[in-house]
Amino acid sequence: MSDAKKNLGEVTSESRREHSERAPSVEDDSEGHLIYKEGDVLQARYEIVRTLGEGTFGKVVEVKDLQKDNEVAALKIIKNVEKYREAAKLEINVLEFMHSKDPEGTFLCVKFFDYFDYHGHMCLSFQMLGISIFDFMKENCYLPYTLSQVRHIGYQLCYAVKFMHDNNMTHTDLKPENVLFVNSEYDIKYNAKKKRDERTIKCSDIRLIDFGSTTFDHEHHSTIVSTRHYRAPEVILELGWSQPCDVWSIGCILFELYTGFTLFQTHDNREHLAMMERILGSLPYRMTKKTKKQKYFYHGQLDWNEKSEPGRYVKNNCKPLGRYMVCDSDGDMNLFNLIERMLEYDPTSRITLKEALEHPFFSTLPDSQKLPMESKNEDRERSHSLSR
């Protein structure tokens, strides 16, 4: 699958040698990023074309693979920092496992090609994709996607994550930034009423990326996972989590694609829970009594002052879920029914992705966009995170 000739253990020892013998021309900046320029060639193979993005982990660059007729790829260059190197090795294990289960990328997870160590920087090469569904929306003045686009993107996202769930994995960091268009070319039209150009994506095919936080069922489960806005209540309440926490995140993503804004725009646990109650109704007593986070509750009820400044903010900025519907067409109502079932508080009652793909919202998907439904381990026993 990959052209890497060493296993991860060998790469690690080789990495220490390379690091101590690194060429004088190889330098890092103060944060541990590799210093490079356009035209540099890594591993006598990957010629750097341009920088695509940057994160806490490192940078992603567009490269030409000189061993494959200058085929374009995306190369993730990890910082020369021990904790990021170790995290990259965990991600490589996940990517290689996923490739063994789906070598052709049928299940819409980004194709992983290769990895190597470059003077202390773990480097991972992937298929080249377009921009994220978040960046497209941001560059388009946060204009929501059309209902048919929400349907197609949502269907593909459920399909990709279901593949992970069927193979005993939880992604744990689903968010619009981690869903990329295969090709982000667009048509443009001037909106005279709003006096602006508006973009429409030409093809809504997507791929799922970033498996750095993916957790196998048998592995240790960190207490807190997911980016704040997409974090499930069982995670906030530290009740244990499994695959259903991904379903919650997808519900939040569908809402965001439909409206153009984040459902839970907060950075505070108590306020987050208050927003949930304002939008979805009261948290179940069973969950509030079982949580270790009793400081947020009084006699099983959320301890929240609606007359405080944060209380007024939540009241003014949040409303019951159904009131966000733009119109009451069958499609809109089906979408909101699906979102509501994905945002079920109790993870044991939350809709599964197998059930989600059979939901009426996706029944009007054109045949050309439908995907084969078989997947290995589909009938795996359902996890119940509250019984952990």
Side-chain angles (χ1 to χ4, degrees):
M1 153 244 167
S2 110
D3 296 322
K5 296 180 177 61
K6 308 176 183 74
N7 65 32
L8 283 175
E10 292 169 328
V11 165
T12 306
S13 58
E14 184 69 20
S15 145
R16 293 196 188 99
R17 281 201 301 279
E18 285 188 359
H19 190 48
S20 60
E21 299 165 6
R22 63 162 42 198
S25 59
V26 179
E27 292 183 85
D28 301 336
D29 68 15
S30 60
E31 294 182 354
H33 290 290
L34 177 69
I35 296 174
Y36 58 82
K37 62 183 184 300
E38 183 183 321
D40 283 355
V41 178
L42 309 188
Q43 212 73 350
R45 176 173 181 177
Y46 297 101
E47 181 181 331
I48 295 175
V49 177
R50 62 189 174 114
T51 302
L52 297 172
E54 181 177 331
T56 52
F57 61 86
K59 296 184 180 182
V60 180
V61 296
E62 179 182 335
V63 295
K64 287 189 288 190
D65 188 340
L66 304 180
Q67 291 182 17
K68 291 187 176 178
D69 297 322
N70 290 339
E71 183 181 298
V72 174
L75 189 70
K76 189 173 179 178
I77 305 174
I78 305 299
K79 282 181 186 174
N80 186 10
V81 176
E82 184 63 23
K83 69 174 180 178
Y84 295 118
R85 267 197 300 275
E86 291 305 312
K89 284 184 243 175
L90 294 174
E91 183 172 11
I92 289 165
N93 285 333
V94 171
L95 289 163
E96 293 204 310
F97 173 78
M98 289 171 68
H99 180 88
S100 72
K101 295 290 183 181
D102 181 27
E104 300 303 317
T106 306
F107 291 99
L108 311 185
C109 296
V110 63
K111 280 188 186 175
F112 176 50
F113 296 144
D114 189 19
Y115 69 88
F116 58 91
D117 184 286
Y118 186 76
H119 303 283
H121 297 271
M122 296 299 292
C123 297
L124 291 68
S125 69
F126 298 91
Q127 72 178 119
M128 187 69 178
L129 296 167
I131 65 173
S132 74
I133 60 174
F134 173 79
D135 284 333
F136 188 91
M137 192 160 58
K138 182 182 177 183
E139 292 175 13
N140 204 23
C141 304
Y142 293 98
L143 187 72
Y145 290 93
T146 66
L147 193 65
S148 60
Q149 289 168 343
V150 175
R151 182 178 288 111
H152 187 216
I153 294 168
Y155 174 81
Q156 294 172 91
L157 183 54
C158 289
Y159 189 83
V161 181
K162 177 183 175 295
F163 160 73
M164 297 185 70
H165 291 184
D166 289 344
N167 285 284
N168 308 307
M169 294 177 280
T170 307
H171 186 286
T172 82
D173 196 21
L174 296 174
K175 54 185 175 181
E177 291 90 335
N178 286 339
V179 182
L180 270 53
F181 285 118
V182 173
N183 185 327
S184 40
E185 289 179 3
Y186 55 84
D187 293 317
I188 198 158
K189 190 176 180 181
Y190 184 69
N191 184 328
K193 190 175 179 180
K194 295 191 175 177
K195 297 181 180 177
R196 67 185 186 193
D197 287 331
E198 293 180 349
R199 303 172 180 181
T200 303
I201 193 79
K202 286 185 177 181
C203 175
S204 49
D205 290 353
I206 56 106
R207 294 293 182 272
L208 182 61
I209 67 159
D210 197 347
F211 304 95
S213 302
T214 294
T215 304
F216 288 95
D217 287 358
H218 68 271
E219 290 180 317
H220 169 72
H221 283 38
S222 303
T223 304
I224 300 298
V225 291
S226 306
T227 298
R228 158 64 69 187
H229 312 312
Y230 310 94
R231 188 174 293 157
E234 66 269 24
V235 178
I236 296 171
L237 298 177
E238 297 183 13
L239 292 168
W241 55 267
S242 58
Q243 281 79 10
C245 78
D246 280 345
V247 179
W248 177 279
S249 301
I250 294 173
C252 296
I253 293 169
L254 291 177
F255 178 92
E256 194 165 331
L257 299 181
Y258 176 86
T259 62
F261 55 84
T262 311
L263 179 56
F264 300 111
Q265 187 61 54
T266 181
H267 295 282
D268 176 80
N269 277 342
R270 195 187 301 266
E271 186 173 75
H272 198 164
L273 294 168
M275 286 180 164
M276 288 181 185
E277 291 210 330
R278 175 87 171 138
I279 295 167
L280 303 168
S282 298
L283 284 149
Y285 185 73
R286 174 178 173 232
M287 293 177 74
T288 63
K289 288 304 285 181
K290 196 173 182 182
T291 179
K292 299 171 187 173
K293 297 300 202 177
Q294 286 300 319
K295 63 181 180 180
Y296 299 134
F297 300 95
Y298 183 73
H299 293 313
Q301 302 293 312
L302 184 65
D303 187 8
W304 180 252
N305 181 2
E306 287 190 356
K307 294 179 181 176
S308 66
E309 188 178 340
R312 289 194 299 273
Y313 171 79
V314 169
K315 192 171 184 180
N316 293 335
N317 289 277
C318 301
K319 56 189 177 184
L321 183 65
R323 287 173 56 189
Y324 288 100
M325 240 188 320
V326 175
C327 67
D328 58 0
S329 73
D330 286 348
D332 292 68
M333 288 193 287
N334 281 334
L335 170 60
F336 272 75
N337 177 265
L338 176 59
I339 292 172
E340 186 176 14
R341 295 187 64 192
M342 288 180 160
L343 300 183
E344 173 69 48
Y345 284 127
D346 186 341
T348 63
S349 305
R350 202 170 295 153
I351 193 172
T352 66
L353 294 180
K354 181 178 188 297
E355 292 164 346
L357 287 165
E358 294 164 355
H359 190 276
F361 178 60
F362 295 126
S363 64
T364 54
L365 197 73
D367 288 343
S368 61
Q369 294 180 341
K370 288 178 180 170
L371 296 161
M373 276 299 126
E374 68 278 357
S375 172
K376 289 178 184 176
N377 305 330
E378 189 170 284
D379 297 321
R380 63 187 293 277
E381 187 178 344
R382 182 171 175 169
S383 298
H384 295 294
S385 65
L386 287 187
S387 61
R388 285 167 54 82

